[in-house]
Amino acid sequence: MPAPEYPHADPPAPAATKEVAPGVHWLRMALPFQLDHINLWLLEDGTPEHPAWTLIDTGLGNEATRAVWERIFADRLGGRPVKRVLVTHYHPDHAGNAAWLCERFGTELWMTRGEYLTVHAARQGAAGYSTAAQIALFRANGLDQARGDALLKRGDLYRKLVPDFPFSHRRLLEGDRIAIGGRSWRVFIGYGHAPEHASLHCEELNVLISGDMLLPRISTNVAVRPVDPGSNPLRMFLDSIRRYLALPADLLVLPSHGLPFRGAHERIAQLEAHHEERLAELQAACAASPRTAAEVLEVLFRRKLDDNQIFFAMGEAIAHLHYLYYAGRLARSVGADGAARFASA
C-alpha cells in the first residue's frame, strides 16, 4: 500500500506561517501534552478592495498560545480584519481561544450546533461532561478504585483550557458551502471523534481541512463518553472517513496534527486495517476469557500508560469492545461487581 506523501515536510516556525495552497496559510501552536502541537489555518478572505481573514481553529486558551497569536497579529495579518472564526470541534486545543479571538476582532463564531453546545456542557461539567462522570463510566468498565482516584485528582481541566466561550454562533450544517476569498468550501460533518466535527473541502484548490478526522501518522482518538455510554463511536468514525473516498485521490489533506499530506485514500485504508487488526486481537483475547475494558488495555496499548493516557485509553477500549458487541462478534454481560465484560458471542 503506497504511503502518504508530504509535500510540505517542514512545519512553520513558531509565530510564522507557510502558504500551502493559494490563500491557505499554515501555522502551528505548541501543546503541553505528548501530542505537542496543533495546526491552525489562516484563509485569505474578503475582496481585493476589502481583504480579510478567516481563522480555522484557535489553540488552547492559555497565555503561551495567546502570546504567539499576538505575534501573528503583528507580523502576519497585515492589518486585515478577521471576518470569521471557524472551530472544527469542541476539544480545547481547537476551541480554547474562540471567545478571545471573536471579541478581539468583533466577529462571529462558526461551528456546528452539536460542538457548540458541547463546549458549554464541558465548561459547566453538565450532561456527563465531568471527571466524576467519566470515572463512573470507567469504573463500570472495570477500572480499579486506585486508578479512578488518581484520575479524579486531575480535576475538570476543560474550563481551564477553554476559559470563556461565545454565547452565540453561526451554525454549520452538512453540505453547507461557505464562500471564503472567492472560493467555495463545502462542510463535511464527521462523527465518532466528536459529536459533529466539521471538515472543509475546497474543490477548486483540491484541499481538505480535515481537523482531527483524518491524521497522517496517528489514529484519531475514538472514545465512548458518559453522555452516551452505550454508543458505537468507532463505527461512526469509520463510516465518516469512508466518505472522503468520494474526493480526489490526489487531495491535499490539511490535518490538525502532523504534516499536510496527499494520499487520503491510502490513509483511510491504513486506518481501516489498523482498527480491524486491533479488533481481531480484542476478539481473540475475550474468547480466551471474559474481559472488561480495563483488562484489555494491554492488548490495545503496548506501553505503560500514565494517568492522562489512561483517560483516553479507557474510552477507546470501550469503543472497540462496543464495535465488536454491536457487530455480533462479542457478547456483553454485567457481573456482580457491576462491571461490563465481553466474551465470545
Side-chain angles (χ1 to χ4, degrees):
M1 182 184 302
E5 299 177 357
Y6 299 95
H8 303 280
D10 298 316
T17 62
K18 177 180 288 190
E19 190 169 19
V20 294
V24 180
H25 303 262
W26 174 22
L27 64 119
R28 178 171 279 195
M29 300 286 188
L31 298 176
F33 313 121
Q34 184 176 21
L35 183 59
D36 63 3
H37 70 274
I38 179 173
N39 300 323
L40 312 177
W41 311 99
L42 305 179
L43 276 56
E44 296 178 18
D45 205 344
T47 65
E49 296 78 17
H50 302 285
W53 296 99
T54 282
L55 309 185
I56 310 292
D57 286 334
T58 72
L60 293 177
N62 58 21
E63 290 304 316
T65 303
R66 291 178 180 182
V68 176
W69 269 121
E70 293 289 356
R71 293 170 61 190
I72 293 289
F73 301 153
D75 300 339
R76 300 292 169 179
L77 294 193
R80 300 180 184 183
V82 172
K83 186 174 181 179
R84 66 173 69 82
V85 175
L86 192 153
V87 173
T88 59
H89 63 294
Y90 82 97
H91 292 154
D93 50 336
H94 299 261
N97 286 304
W100 182 70
L101 289 166
C102 287
E103 182 177 350
R104 184 184 185 99
F105 291 100
T107 194
E108 286 185 309
L109 170 68
W110 292 50
M111 202 171 185
T112 64
R113 181 66 51 82
E115 300 296 329
Y116 172 80
L117 293 177
T118 300
V119 173
H120 284 288
R123 292 190 71 253
Q124 299 300 325
Y129 285 95
S130 69
T131 300
Q134 193 74 61
I135 293 167
L137 173 67
F138 293 167
R139 295 280 288 136
N141 283 273
L143 190 71
D144 62 83
Q145 183 72 46
R147 286 194 289 183
D149 290 345
L151 286 177
L152 193 58
K153 292 177 181 177
R154 296 169 72 245
D156 290 317
L157 300 177
Y158 190 90
R159 194 180 183 99
K160 296 177 183 178
L161 301 175
V162 187
D164 197 3
F165 206 70
F167 285 102
S168 65
H169 71 302
R170 176 76 68 90
R171 186 178 185 181
L172 297 177
L173 296 169
E174 170 65 38
D176 278 355
R177 293 188 177 274
I178 306 171
I180 302 176
R183 298 185 176 93
S184 177
W185 292 79
R186 177 186 170 191
V187 177
F188 278 77
I189 304 300
Y191 306 96
H193 176 64
E196 293 181 351
H197 182 298
S199 300
L200 298 171
H201 173 239
C202 181
E203 183 177 7
E204 179 181 343
L205 295 176
N206 198 26
V207 164
L208 174 72
I209 298 177
S210 64
D212 281 354
M213 288 299 295
L214 194 59
L215 303 176
R217 295 189 183 275
I218 61 174
S219 59
T220 299
N221 178 252
V222 177
V224 172
R225 298 299 181 203
V227 69
D228 192 5
S231 62
N232 189 2
L234 181 55
R235 180 190 62 77
M236 293 190 289
F237 173 75
L238 292 172
D239 287 348
S240 294
I241 64 172
R242 287 178 187 128
R243 297 180 61 216
Y244 299 141
L245 294 174
L247 301 178
D250 63 346
L251 181 76
L252 177 63
V253 181
L254 306 182
S256 291
H257 309 284
L259 299 173
F261 69 98
R262 298 189 190 276
H265 294 192
E266 292 82 5
R267 182 57 182 150
I268 291 165
Q270 288 177 354
L271 288 167
E272 290 177 325
H274 164 78
H275 284 293
E276 182 50 46
E277 179 182 347
R278 291 292 181 268
L279 290 165
E281 292 172 347
L282 283 182
Q283 188 173 357
C286 293
S289 63
R291 305 285 186 97
T292 66
E295 291 168 337
V296 299
L297 290 178
E298 63 186 24
V299 178
L300 282 178
F301 306 96
R302 294 169 173 83
R303 63 187 185 279
K304 183 175 176 59
L305 301 172
D306 60 27
D307 292 340
N308 188 59
Q309 292 164 338
I310 286 283
F311 185 90
F312 293 101
M314 275 296 296
E316 198 151 325
I318 301 167
H320 281 73
L321 290 169
H322 281 194
Y323 183 98
L324 291 167
Y325 169 63
Y326 287 115
R329 294 165 61 178
L330 289 178
R332 180 181 181 273
S333 62
V334 178
D337 60 356
R341 288 178 171 79
F342 296 81
S344 292

